[in-house]
Amino acid sequence: MAEVVLVNDLNTGNTFQQNGNIYQVIGRDLNKTAMRQMVVKVKVKNLRTGVINEMTFTGGDKVEIAHIDRKEMQYLYDDGESLVFMDNDTYEQVEIPKSHLDWELKFLKENSNVVISMYENEVLGVILPDKVELQIVECENAVKGDTATSALKNAVLETGLEIKVPLFIQNGEMVIISTADGKYNGRA
């Protein structure tokens, strides 16, 4: 039997099913006035499409909880249309269309382990760690005395992601990148 919860009790990170879609709660706002029922506004991310929007419920409405499974897999290769991942336990391979992983592609290296989210054996996507280590493959040379600006220069990472790094960073160095915003976070 499906687990049902009141929308009033939804918290950030909870996942639920509504109208054939699976949503993850990003934020919630309760609005109660003396004249009417409570209004619950829930900011959600559709786990199938990646679209973020807001849903409005009446206090007391119920939704069905969606239990998301997480499985560690190894990113094997890019076949042009999809990315291929292998289950580390069963050696079974799954493919995820590249169109579903626009942001994640900027942080994935072949042969690295990642966490795949699944709902009832349907692959939803890749859960990125907060930070990843990537190598700089191309960066500008620092111009001596050029500190009038914020003292950053352009660099390209091994995944093709272009970022700004401090002047002291050299070509070939490993750097730590935040997967939340794609920005330089320090030396590895």
Side-chain angles (χ1 to χ4, degrees), residues 1-40:
M1 188 174 132
E3 184 181 347
V4 177
V5 66
L6 291 171
V7 290
N8 317 28
D9 298 331
L10 287 174
N11 291 312
T12 302
N14 289 148
T15 51
F16 66 93
Q17 194 172 313
Q18 180 88 8
N19 300 327
N21 288 307
I22 302 165
Y23 298 100
Q24 181 172 26
V25 178
I26 297 172
R28 176 191 70 159
D29 186 36
L30 303 175
N31 187 355
K32 174 77 174 124
T33 61
M35 300 298 287
R36 61 179 194 172
Q37 271 191 310
M38 183 186 322
V39 174
V40 180

PDB file of all heavy atoms in Angstrom, residues 1-40:
ATOM      1  N   MET A   1       0.834  -1.192   0.000  1.00  0.00           N
ATOM      2  CA  MET A   1       0.000   0.000   0.000  1.00  0.00           C
ATOM      3  C   MET A   1       0.876   1.252   0.000  1.00  0.00           C
ATOM      4  O   MET A   1       1.902   1.313   0.655  1.00  0.00           O
ATOM      5  CB  MET A   1      -0.892  -0.009   1.249  1.00  0.00           C
ATOM      6  CG  MET A   1      -1.929   1.090   1.225  1.00  0.00           C
ATOM      7  SD  MET A   1      -3.038   0.894   2.614  1.00  0.00           S
ATOM      8  CE  MET A   1      -3.037   2.546   3.230  1.00  0.00           C
ATOM      9  N   ALA A   2       0.443   2.240  -0.748  1.00  0.00           N
ATOM     10  CA  ALA A   2       1.214   3.482  -0.880  1.00  0.00           C
ATOM     11  C   ALA A   2       1.177   4.285   0.417  1.00  0.00           C
ATOM     12  O   ALA A   2       0.153   4.360   1.094  1.00  0.00           O
ATOM     13  CB  ALA A   2       0.649   4.308  -2.019  1.00  0.00           C
ATOM     14  N   GLU A   3       2.324   4.891   0.730  1.00  0.00           N
ATOM     15  CA  GLU A   3       2.430   5.730   1.918  1.00  0.00           C
ATOM     16  C   GLU A   3       1.956   7.141   1.555  1.00  0.00           C
ATOM     17  O   GLU A   3       2.431   7.746   0.602  1.00  0.00           O
ATOM     18  CB  GLU A   3       3.883   5.768   2.390  1.00  0.00           C
ATOM     19  CG  GLU A   3       4.091   6.525   3.673  1.00  0.00           C
ATOM     20  CD  GLU A   3       5.556   6.548   4.082  1.00  0.00           C
ATOM     21  OE1 GLU A   3       6.366   5.787   3.529  1.00  0.00           O
ATOM     22  OE2 GLU A   3       5.871   7.352   4.961  1.00  0.00           O
ATOM     23  N   VAL A   4       0.992   7.655   2.335  1.00  0.00           N
ATOM     24  CA  VAL A   4       0.413   8.965   2.071  1.00  0.00           C
ATOM     25  C   VAL A   4       0.772   9.899   3.216  1.00  0.00           C
ATOM     26  O   VAL A   4       0.818   9.486   4.371  1.00  0.00           O
ATOM     27  CB  VAL A   4      -1.128   8.850   1.918  1.00  0.00           C
ATOM     28  CG1 VAL A   4      -1.763  10.206   1.727  1.00  0.00           C
ATOM     29  CG2 VAL A   4      -1.476   7.922   0.766  1.00  0.00           C
ATOM     30  N   VAL A   5       1.043  11.179   2.882  1.00  0.00           N
ATOM     31  CA  VAL A   5       1.409  12.155   3.901  1.00  0.00           C
ATOM     32  C   VAL A   5       0.658  13.462   3.634  1.00  0.00           C
ATOM     33  O   VAL A   5       0.338  13.780   2.486  1.00  0.00           O
ATOM     34  CB  VAL A   5       2.948  12.370   3.922  1.00  0.00           C
ATOM     35  CG1 VAL A   5       3.422  13.015   2.650  1.00  0.00           C
ATOM     36  CG2 VAL A   5       3.382  13.173   5.114  1.00  0.00           C
ATOM     37  N   LEU A   6       0.363  14.199   4.707  1.00  0.00           N
ATOM     38  CA  LEU A   6      -0.261  15.514   4.557  1.00  0.00           C
ATOM     39  C   LEU A   6       0.746  16.487   3.958  1.00  0.00           C
ATOM     40  O   LEU A   6       1.927  16.470   4.314  1.00  0.00           O
ATOM     41  CB  LEU A   6      -0.709  16.058   5.918  1.00  0.00           C
ATOM     42  CG  LEU A   6      -1.880  15.366   6.607  1.00  0.00           C
ATOM     43  CD1 LEU A   6      -2.049  15.883   8.031  1.00  0.00           C
ATOM     44  CD2 LEU A   6      -3.160  15.586   5.814  1.00  0.00           C
ATOM     45  N   VAL A   7       0.292  17.379   3.072  1.00  0.00           N
ATOM     46  CA  VAL A   7       1.212  18.351   2.472  1.00  0.00           C
ATOM     47  C   VAL A   7       1.797  19.271   3.545  1.00  0.00           C
ATOM     48  O   VAL A   7       2.910  19.764   3.395  1.00  0.00           O
ATOM     49  CB  VAL A   7       0.538  19.183   1.351  1.00  0.00           C
ATOM     50  CG1 VAL A   7       0.255  18.328   0.143  1.00  0.00           C
ATOM     51  CG2 VAL A   7      -0.704  19.872   1.848  1.00  0.00           C
ATOM     52  N   ASN A   8       1.079  19.475   4.643  1.00  0.00           N
ATOM     53  CA  ASN A   8       1.579  20.300   5.757  1.00  0.00           C
ATOM     54  C   ASN A   8       2.865  19.707   6.330  1.00  0.00           C
ATOM     55  O   ASN A   8       3.678  20.424   6.900  1.00  0.00           O
ATOM     56  CB  ASN A   8       0.573  20.382   6.909  1.00  0.00           C
ATOM     57  CG  ASN A   8      -0.844  20.584   6.473  1.00  0.00           C
ATOM     58  OD1 ASN A   8      -1.246  20.195   5.383  1.00  0.00           O
ATOM     59  ND2 ASN A   8      -1.624  21.203   7.327  1.00  0.00           N
ATOM     60  N   ASP A   9       3.050  18.373   6.223  1.00  0.00           N
ATOM     61  CA  ASP A   9       4.187  17.680   6.828  1.00  0.00           C
ATOM     62  C   ASP A   9       5.358  17.483   5.868  1.00  0.00           C
ATOM     63  O   ASP A   9       6.372  16.895   6.237  1.00  0.00           O
ATOM     64  CB  ASP A   9       3.741  16.311   7.364  1.00  0.00           C
ATOM     65  CG  ASP A   9       2.694  16.444   8.467  1.00  0.00           C
ATOM     66  OD1 ASP A   9       2.717  17.474   9.179  1.00  0.00           O
ATOM     67  OD2 ASP A   9       1.876  15.527   8.607  1.00  0.00           O
ATOM     68  N   LEU A  10       5.240  17.966   4.616  1.00  0.00           N
ATOM     69  CA  LEU A  10       6.344  17.829   3.665  1.00  0.00           C
ATOM     70  C   LEU A  10       7.510  18.714   4.089  1.00  0.00           C
ATOM     71  O   LEU A  10       7.316  19.847   4.520  1.00  0.00           O
ATOM     72  CB  LEU A  10       5.904  18.237   2.252  1.00  0.00           C
ATOM     73  CG  LEU A  10       4.988  17.278   1.519  1.00  0.00           C
ATOM     74  CD1 LEU A  10       4.534  17.893   0.197  1.00  0.00           C
ATOM     75  CD2 LEU A  10       5.684  15.946   1.264  1.00  0.00           C
ATOM     76  N   ASN A  11       8.722  18.188   3.976  1.00  0.00           N
ATOM     77  CA  ASN A  11       9.931  18.932   4.304  1.00  0.00           C
ATOM     78  C   ASN A  11      10.875  18.925   3.115  1.00  0.00           C
ATOM     79  O   ASN A  11      10.749  18.094   2.202  1.00  0.00           O
ATOM     80  CB  ASN A  11      10.637  18.299   5.516  1.00  0.00           C
ATOM     81  CG  ASN A  11       9.843  18.490   6.786  1.00  0.00           C
ATOM     82  OD1 ASN A  11       9.395  19.588   7.085  1.00  0.00           O
ATOM     83  ND2 ASN A  11       9.662  17.414   7.529  1.00  0.00           N
ATOM     84  N   THR A  12      11.845  19.834   3.127  1.00  0.00           N
ATOM     85  CA  THR A  12      12.850  19.897   2.073  1.00  0.00           C
ATOM     86  C   THR A  12      13.529  18.535   1.926  1.00  0.00           C
ATOM     87  O   THR A  12      13.921  17.933   2.915  1.00  0.00           O
ATOM     88  CB  THR A  12      13.896  20.981   2.404  1.00  0.00           C
ATOM     89  OG1 THR A  12      13.210  22.221   2.547  1.00  0.00           O
ATOM     90  CG2 THR A  12      14.926  21.104   1.307  1.00  0.00           C
ATOM     91  N   GLY A  13      13.618  18.066   0.681  1.00  0.00           N
ATOM     92  CA  GLY A  13      14.252  16.779   0.407  1.00  0.00           C
ATOM     93  C   GLY A  13      13.258  15.640   0.235  1.00  0.00           C
ATOM     94  O   GLY A  13      13.592  14.616  -0.368  1.00  0.00           O
ATOM     95  N   ASN A  14      12.021  15.794   0.762  1.00  0.00           N
ATOM     96  CA  ASN A  14      11.004  14.755   0.588  1.00  0.00           C
ATOM     97  C   ASN A  14      10.651  14.614  -0.888  1.00  0.00           C
ATOM     98  O   ASN A  14      10.701  15.582  -1.646  1.00  0.00           O
ATOM     99  CB  ASN A  14       9.730  15.079   1.358  1.00  0.00           C
ATOM    100  CG  ASN A  14       9.845  14.964   2.858  1.00  0.00           C
ATOM    101  OD1 ASN A  14       9.207  15.689   3.595  1.00  0.00           O
ATOM    102  ND2 ASN A  14      10.670  14.052   3.350  1.00  0.00           N
ATOM    103  N   THR A  15      10.280  13.409  -1.298  1.00  0.00           N
ATOM    104  CA  THR A  15       9.845  13.173  -2.669  1.00  0.00           C
ATOM    105  C   THR A  15       8.427  12.624  -2.642  1.00  0.00           C
ATOM    106  O   THR A  15       8.081  11.820  -1.779  1.00  0.00           O
ATOM    107  CB  THR A  15      10.783  12.180  -3.393  1.00  0.00           C
ATOM    108  OG1 THR A  15      10.939  11.015  -2.585  1.00  0.00           O
ATOM    109  CG2 THR A  15      12.139  12.795  -3.658  1.00  0.00           C
ATOM    110  N   PHE A  16       7.617  13.095  -3.596  1.00  0.00           N
ATOM    111  CA  PHE A  16       6.237  12.605  -3.675  1.00  0.00           C
ATOM    112  C   PHE A  16       5.805  12.493  -5.125  1.00  0.00           C
ATOM    113  O   PHE A  16       6.432  13.029  -6.034  1.00  0.00           O
ATOM    114  CB  PHE A  16       5.282  13.493  -2.869  1.00  0.00           C
ATOM    115  CG  PHE A  16       5.115  14.888  -3.397  1.00  0.00           C
ATOM    116  CD1 PHE A  16       4.089  15.194  -4.283  1.00  0.00           C
ATOM    117  CD2 PHE A  16       5.970  15.901  -3.003  1.00  0.00           C
ATOM    118  CE1 PHE A  16       3.923  16.481  -4.766  1.00  0.00           C
ATOM    119  CE2 PHE A  16       5.809  17.196  -3.479  1.00  0.00           C
ATOM    120  CZ  PHE A  16       4.791  17.489  -4.372  1.00  0.00           C
ATOM    121  N   GLN A  17       4.701  11.749  -5.302  1.00  0.00           N
ATOM    122  CA  GLN A  17       4.157  11.473  -6.622  1.00  0.00           C
ATOM    123  C   GLN A  17       2.848  12.241  -6.759  1.00  0.00           C
ATOM    124  O   GLN A  17       2.019  12.235  -5.847  1.00  0.00           O
ATOM    125  CB  GLN A  17       3.900   9.974  -6.693  1.00  0.00           C
ATOM    126  CG  GLN A  17       3.645   9.447  -8.051  1.00  0.00           C
ATOM    127  CD  GLN A  17       3.598   7.930  -8.008  1.00  0.00           C
ATOM    128  OE1 GLN A  17       4.456   7.291  -7.423  1.00  0.00           O
ATOM    129  NE2 GLN A  17       2.585   7.366  -8.624  1.00  0.00           N
ATOM    130  N   GLN A  18       2.662  12.918  -7.895  1.00  0.00           N
ATOM    131  CA  GLN A  18       1.437  13.681  -8.136  1.00  0.00           C
ATOM    132  C   GLN A  18       1.179  13.703  -9.635  1.00  0.00           C
ATOM    133  O   GLN A  18       2.057  14.093 -10.415  1.00  0.00           O
ATOM    134  CB  GLN A  18       1.623  15.107  -7.597  1.00  0.00           C
ATOM    135  CG  GLN A  18       0.454  16.014  -7.779  1.00  0.00           C
ATOM    136  CD  GLN A  18      -0.528  15.930  -6.629  1.00  0.00           C
ATOM    137  OE1 GLN A  18      -0.260  15.293  -5.623  1.00  0.00           O
ATOM    138  NE2 GLN A  18      -1.663  16.556  -6.769  1.00  0.00           N
ATOM    139  N   ASN A  19       0.004  13.298 -10.066  1.00  0.00           N
ATOM    140  CA  ASN A  19      -0.382  13.319 -11.486  1.00  0.00           C
ATOM    141  C   ASN A  19       0.643  12.630 -12.395  1.00  0.00           C
ATOM    142  O   ASN A  19       0.970  13.133 -13.469  1.00  0.00           O
ATOM    143  CB  ASN A  19      -0.599  14.764 -11.968  1.00  0.00           C
ATOM    144  CG  ASN A  19      -1.682  15.465 -11.180  1.00  0.00           C
ATOM    145  OD1 ASN A  19      -2.648  14.853 -10.745  1.00  0.00           O
ATOM    146  ND2 ASN A  19      -1.507  16.757 -10.965  1.00  0.00           N
ATOM    147  N   GLY A  20       1.186  11.509 -11.957  1.00  0.00           N
ATOM    148  CA  GLY A  20       2.117  10.751 -12.772  1.00  0.00           C
ATOM    149  C   GLY A  20       3.546  11.288 -12.796  1.00  0.00           C
ATOM    150  O   GLY A  20       4.381  10.782 -13.523  1.00  0.00           O
ATOM    151  N   ASN A  21       3.816  12.340 -12.038  1.00  0.00           N
ATOM    152  CA  ASN A  21       5.169  12.897 -11.966  1.00  0.00           C
ATOM    153  C   ASN A  21       5.756  12.679 -10.580  1.00  0.00           C
ATOM    154  O   ASN A  21       5.027  12.494  -9.607  1.00  0.00           O
ATOM    155  CB  ASN A  21       5.159  14.394 -12.287  1.00  0.00           C
ATOM    156  CG  ASN A  21       4.902  14.651 -13.746  1.00  0.00           C
ATOM    157  OD1 ASN A  21       5.586  14.108 -14.613  1.00  0.00           O
ATOM    158  ND2 ASN A  21       3.908  15.462 -14.037  1.00  0.00           N
ATOM    159  N   ILE A  22       7.078  12.734 -10.505  1.00  0.00           N
ATOM    160  CA  ILE A  22       7.773  12.575  -9.225  1.00  0.00           C
ATOM    161  C   ILE A  22       8.455  13.896  -8.912  1.00  0.00           C
ATOM    162  O   ILE A  22       9.202  14.429  -9.741  1.00  0.00           O
ATOM    163  CB  ILE A  22       8.815  11.442  -9.305  1.00  0.00           C
ATOM    164  CG1 ILE A  22       8.113  10.147  -9.705  1.00  0.00           C
ATOM    165  CG2 ILE A  22       9.523  11.282  -7.976  1.00  0.00           C
ATOM    166  CD1 ILE A  22       9.068   9.075 -10.148  1.00  0.00           C
ATOM    167  N   TYR A  23       8.181  14.425  -7.729  1.00  0.00           N
ATOM    168  CA  TYR A  23       8.707  15.729  -7.332  1.00  0.00           C
ATOM    169  C   TYR A  23       9.552  15.608  -6.071  1.00  0.00           C
ATOM    170  O   TYR A  23       9.264  14.798  -5.195  1.00  0.00           O
ATOM    171  CB  TYR A  23       7.563  16.706  -7.042  1.00  0.00           C
ATOM    172  CG  TYR A  23       6.687  16.984  -8.234  1.00  0.00           C
ATOM    173  CD1 TYR A  23       5.459  16.339  -8.385  1.00  0.00           C
ATOM    174  CD2 TYR A  23       7.072  17.892  -9.211  1.00  0.00           C
ATOM    175  CE1 TYR A  23       4.644  16.598  -9.476  1.00  0.00           C
ATOM    176  CE2 TYR A  23       6.271  18.151 -10.309  1.00  0.00           C
ATOM    177  CZ  TYR A  23       5.057  17.507 -10.428  1.00  0.00           C
ATOM    178  OH  TYR A  23       4.267  17.762 -11.513  1.00  0.00           O
ATOM    179  N   GLN A  24      10.576  16.472  -6.000  1.00  0.00           N
ATOM    180  CA  GLN A  24      11.376  16.591  -4.782  1.00  0.00           C
ATOM    181  C   GLN A  24      11.125  17.994  -4.237  1.00  0.00           C
ATOM    182  O   GLN A  24      11.168  18.979  -4.970  1.00  0.00           O
ATOM    183  CB  GLN A  24      12.856  16.403  -5.062  1.00  0.00           C
ATOM    184  CG  GLN A  24      13.693  16.493  -3.806  1.00  0.00           C
ATOM    185  CD  GLN A  24      15.136  16.113  -4.047  1.00  0.00           C
ATOM    186  OE1 GLN A  24      15.649  16.227  -5.154  1.00  0.00           O
ATOM    187  NE2 GLN A  24      15.788  15.656  -3.010  1.00  0.00           N
ATOM    188  N   VAL A  25      10.858  18.078  -2.925  1.00  0.00           N
ATOM    189  CA  VAL A  25      10.567  19.347  -2.280  1.00  0.00           C
ATOM    190  C   VAL A  25      11.858  20.140  -2.104  1.00  0.00           C
ATOM    191  O   VAL A  25      12.833  19.646  -1.541  1.00  0.00           O
ATOM    192  CB  VAL A  25       9.881  19.130  -0.907  1.00  0.00           C
ATOM    193  CG1 VAL A  25       9.631  20.454  -0.211  1.00  0.00           C
ATOM    194  CG2 VAL A  25       8.585  18.345  -1.069  1.00  0.00           C
ATOM    195  N   ILE A  26      11.857  21.387  -2.592  1.00  0.00           N
ATOM    196  CA  ILE A  26      13.005  22.279  -2.443  1.00  0.00           C
ATOM    197  C   ILE A  26      12.724  23.283  -1.326  1.00  0.00           C
ATOM    198  O   ILE A  26      13.611  23.700  -0.611  1.00  0.00           O
ATOM    199  CB  ILE A  26      13.291  23.007  -3.777  1.00  0.00           C
ATOM    200  CG1 ILE A  26      13.660  21.988  -4.842  1.00  0.00           C
ATOM    201  CG2 ILE A  26      14.393  24.040  -3.602  1.00  0.00           C
ATOM    202  CD1 ILE A  26      13.774  22.576  -6.219  1.00  0.00           C
ATOM    203  N   GLY A  27      11.466  23.663  -1.183  1.00  0.00           N
ATOM    204  CA  GLY A  27      11.077  24.618  -0.143  1.00  0.00           C
ATOM    205  C   GLY A  27       9.581  24.540   0.100  1.00  0.00           C
ATOM    206  O   GLY A  27       8.829  24.010  -0.717  1.00  0.00           O
ATOM    207  N   ARG A  28       9.151  25.094   1.248  1.00  0.00           N
ATOM    208  CA  ARG A  28       7.732  25.024   1.599  1.00  0.00           C
ATOM    209  C   ARG A  28       7.357  26.283   2.362  1.00  0.00           C
ATOM    210  O   ARG A  28       8.135  26.800   3.162  1.00  0.00           O
ATOM    211  CB  ARG A  28       7.491  23.789   2.457  1.00  0.00           C
ATOM    212  CG  ARG A  28       6.078  23.648   2.968  1.00  0.00           C
ATOM    213  CD  ARG A  28       5.985  22.574   3.987  1.00  0.00           C
ATOM    214  NE  ARG A  28       6.671  23.025   5.198  1.00  0.00           N
ATOM    215  CZ  ARG A  28       6.457  22.532   6.395  1.00  0.00           C
ATOM    216  NH1 ARG A  28       5.618  21.555   6.555  1.00  0.00           N
ATOM    217  NH2 ARG A  28       7.101  22.992   7.448  1.00  0.00           N
ATOM    218  N   ASP A  29       6.147  26.794   2.115  1.00  0.00           N
ATOM    219  CA  ASP A  29       5.661  27.986   2.799  1.00  0.00           C
ATOM    220  C   ASP A  29       4.223  27.736   3.236  1.00  0.00           C
ATOM    221  O   ASP A  29       3.377  27.384   2.415  1.00  0.00           O
ATOM    222  CB  ASP A  29       5.739  29.194   1.848  1.00  0.00           C
ATOM    223  CG  ASP A  29       5.376  30.492   2.530  1.00  0.00           C
ATOM    224  OD1 ASP A  29       5.711  30.656   3.718  1.00  0.00           O
ATOM    225  OD2 ASP A  29       4.749  31.349   1.868  1.00  0.00           O
ATOM    226  N   LEU A  30       3.972  27.901   4.530  1.00  0.00           N
ATOM    227  CA  LEU A  30       2.622  27.726   5.076  1.00  0.00           C
ATOM    228  C   LEU A  30       2.014  29.105   5.308  1.00  0.00           C
ATOM    229  O   LEU A  30       2.655  29.980   5.885  1.00  0.00           O
ATOM    230  CB  LEU A  30       2.660  26.961   6.403  1.00  0.00           C
ATOM    231  CG  LEU A  30       3.322  25.584   6.391  1.00  0.00           C
ATOM    232  CD1 LEU A  30       3.396  25.011   7.796  1.00  0.00           C
ATOM    233  CD2 LEU A  30       2.570  24.640   5.483  1.00  0.00           C
ATOM    234  N   ASN A  31       0.770  29.310   4.875  1.00  0.00           N
ATOM    235  CA  ASN A  31       0.104  30.593   5.047  1.00  0.00           C
ATOM    236  C   ASN A  31      -1.271  30.357   5.660  1.00  0.00           C
ATOM    237  O   ASN A  31      -2.165  29.847   5.002  1.00  0.00           O
ATOM    238  CB  ASN A  31      -0.008  31.295   3.691  1.00  0.00           C
ATOM    239  CG  ASN A  31      -0.544  32.701   3.817  1.00  0.00           C
ATOM    240  OD1 ASN A  31      -0.924  33.138   4.899  1.00  0.00           O
ATOM    241  ND2 ASN A  31      -0.581  33.400   2.696  1.00  0.00           N
ATOM    242  N   LYS A  32      -1.441  30.737   6.920  1.00  0.00           N
ATOM    243  CA  LYS A  32      -2.703  30.498   7.635  1.00  0.00           C
ATOM    244  C   LYS A  32      -3.263  31.836   8.079  1.00  0.00           C
ATOM    245  O   LYS A  32      -2.586  32.623   8.733  1.00  0.00           O
ATOM    246  CB  LYS A  32      -2.439  29.594   8.852  1.00  0.00           C
ATOM    247  CG  LYS A  32      -3.642  29.395   9.758  1.00  0.00           C
ATOM    248  CD  LYS A  32      -4.612  28.414   9.156  1.00  0.00           C
ATOM    249  CE  LYS A  32      -5.721  28.107  10.137  1.00  0.00           C
ATOM    250  NZ  LYS A  32      -7.031  28.355   9.611  1.00  0.00           N
ATOM    251  N   THR A  33      -4.505  32.109   7.686  1.00  0.00           N
ATOM    252  CA  THR A  33      -5.200  33.299   8.178  1.00  0.00           C
ATOM    253  C   THR A  33      -6.442  32.833   8.916  1.00  0.00           C
ATOM    254  O   THR A  33      -6.910  31.707   8.749  1.00  0.00           O
ATOM    255  CB  THR A  33      -5.604  34.232   7.025  1.00  0.00           C
ATOM    256  OG1 THR A  33      -6.497  33.526   6.166  1.00  0.00           O
ATOM    257  CG2 THR A  33      -4.401  34.724   6.242  1.00  0.00           C
ATOM    258  N   ALA A  34      -7.008  33.725   9.704  1.00  0.00           N
ATOM    259  CA  ALA A  34      -8.192  33.369  10.496  1.00  0.00           C
ATOM    260  C   ALA A  34      -9.421  33.155   9.628  1.00  0.00           C
ATOM    261  O   ALA A  34     -10.346  32.445  10.018  1.00  0.00           O
ATOM    262  CB  ALA A  34      -8.462  34.457  11.525  1.00  0.00           C
ATOM    263  N   MET A  35      -9.444  33.749   8.465  1.00  0.00           N
ATOM    264  CA  MET A  35     -10.641  33.711   7.626  1.00  0.00           C
ATOM    265  C   MET A  35     -10.732  32.500   6.695  1.00  0.00           C
ATOM    266  O   MET A  35     -11.785  32.232   6.150  1.00  0.00           O
ATOM    267  CB  MET A  35     -10.713  34.986   6.762  1.00  0.00           C
ATOM    268  CG  MET A  35     -10.775  36.261   7.579  1.00  0.00           C
ATOM    269  SD  MET A  35     -12.228  36.361   8.620  1.00  0.00           S
ATOM    270  CE  MET A  35     -13.476  36.669   7.401  1.00  0.00           C
ATOM    271  N   ARG A  36      -9.653  31.796   6.474  1.00  0.00           N
ATOM    272  CA  ARG A  36      -9.718  30.695   5.512  1.00  0.00           C
ATOM    273  C   ARG A  36      -8.760  29.575   5.889  1.00  0.00           C
ATOM    274  O   ARG A  36      -7.940  29.710   6.789  1.00  0.00           O
ATOM    275  CB  ARG A  36      -9.429  31.190   4.106  1.00  0.00           C
ATOM    276  CG  ARG A  36      -8.059  31.779   3.960  1.00  0.00           C
ATOM    277  CD  ARG A  36      -7.792  32.247   2.562  1.00  0.00           C
ATOM    278  NE  ARG A  36      -6.361  32.483   2.475  1.00  0.00           N
ATOM    279  CZ  ARG A  36      -5.711  32.759   1.410  1.00  0.00           C
ATOM    280  NH1 ARG A  36      -6.345  32.832   0.272  1.00  0.00           N
ATOM    281  NH2 ARG A  36      -4.426  32.959   1.415  1.00  0.00           N
ATOM    282  N   GLN A  37      -8.864  28.486   5.128  1.00  0.00           N
ATOM    283  CA  GLN A  37      -7.991  27.341   5.368  1.00  0.00           C
ATOM    284  C   GLN A  37      -6.541  27.679   5.059  1.00  0.00           C
ATOM    285  O   GLN A  37      -6.255  28.590   4.283  1.00  0.00           O
ATOM    286  CB  GLN A  37      -8.399  26.186   4.455  1.00  0.00           C
ATOM    287  CG  GLN A  37      -9.438  25.266   5.041  1.00  0.00           C
ATOM    288  CD  GLN A  37      -9.576  24.026   4.178  1.00  0.00           C
ATOM    289  OE1 GLN A  37      -9.720  24.127   2.982  1.00  0.00           O
ATOM    290  NE2 GLN A  37      -9.535  22.874   4.809  1.00  0.00           N
ATOM    291  N   MET A  38      -5.640  26.898   5.639  1.00  0.00           N
ATOM    292  CA  MET A  38      -4.214  27.083   5.390  1.00  0.00           C
ATOM    293  C   MET A  38      -3.894  26.795   3.926  1.00  0.00           C
ATOM    294  O   MET A  38      -4.414  25.869   3.325  1.00  0.00           O
ATOM    295  CB  MET A  38      -3.395  26.129   6.272  1.00  0.00           C
ATOM    296  CG  MET A  38      -1.897  26.321   6.104  1.00  0.00           C
ATOM    297  SD  MET A  38      -0.838  25.147   6.951  1.00  0.00           S
ATOM    298  CE  MET A  38      -1.634  24.842   8.478  1.00  0.00           C
ATOM    299  N   VAL A  39      -3.009  27.640   3.362  1.00  0.00           N
ATOM    300  CA  VAL A  39      -2.513  27.429   2.005  1.00  0.00           C
ATOM    301  C   VAL A  39      -1.062  26.983   2.132  1.00  0.00           C
ATOM    302  O   VAL A  39      -0.265  27.606   2.824  1.00  0.00           O
ATOM    303  CB  VAL A  39      -2.610  28.735   1.176  1.00  0.00           C
ATOM    304  CG1 VAL A  39      -1.954  28.559  -0.178  1.00  0.00           C
ATOM    305  CG2 VAL A  39      -4.063  29.152   1.025  1.00  0.00           C
ATOM    306  N   VAL A  40      -0.742  25.869   1.461  1.00  0.00           N
ATOM    307  CA  VAL A  40       0.618  25.334   1.498  1.00  0.00           C
ATOM    308  C   VAL A  40       1.214  25.481   0.105  1.00  0.00           C
ATOM    309  O   VAL A  40       0.733  24.891  -0.855  1.00  0.00           O
ATOM    310  CB  VAL A  40       0.618  23.844   1.921  1.00  0.00           C
ATOM    311  CG1 VAL A  40       2.034  23.304   1.968  1.00  0.00           C
ATOM    312  CG2 VAL A  40      -0.091  23.652   3.249  1.00  0.00           C
TER     313      VAL A  40
END
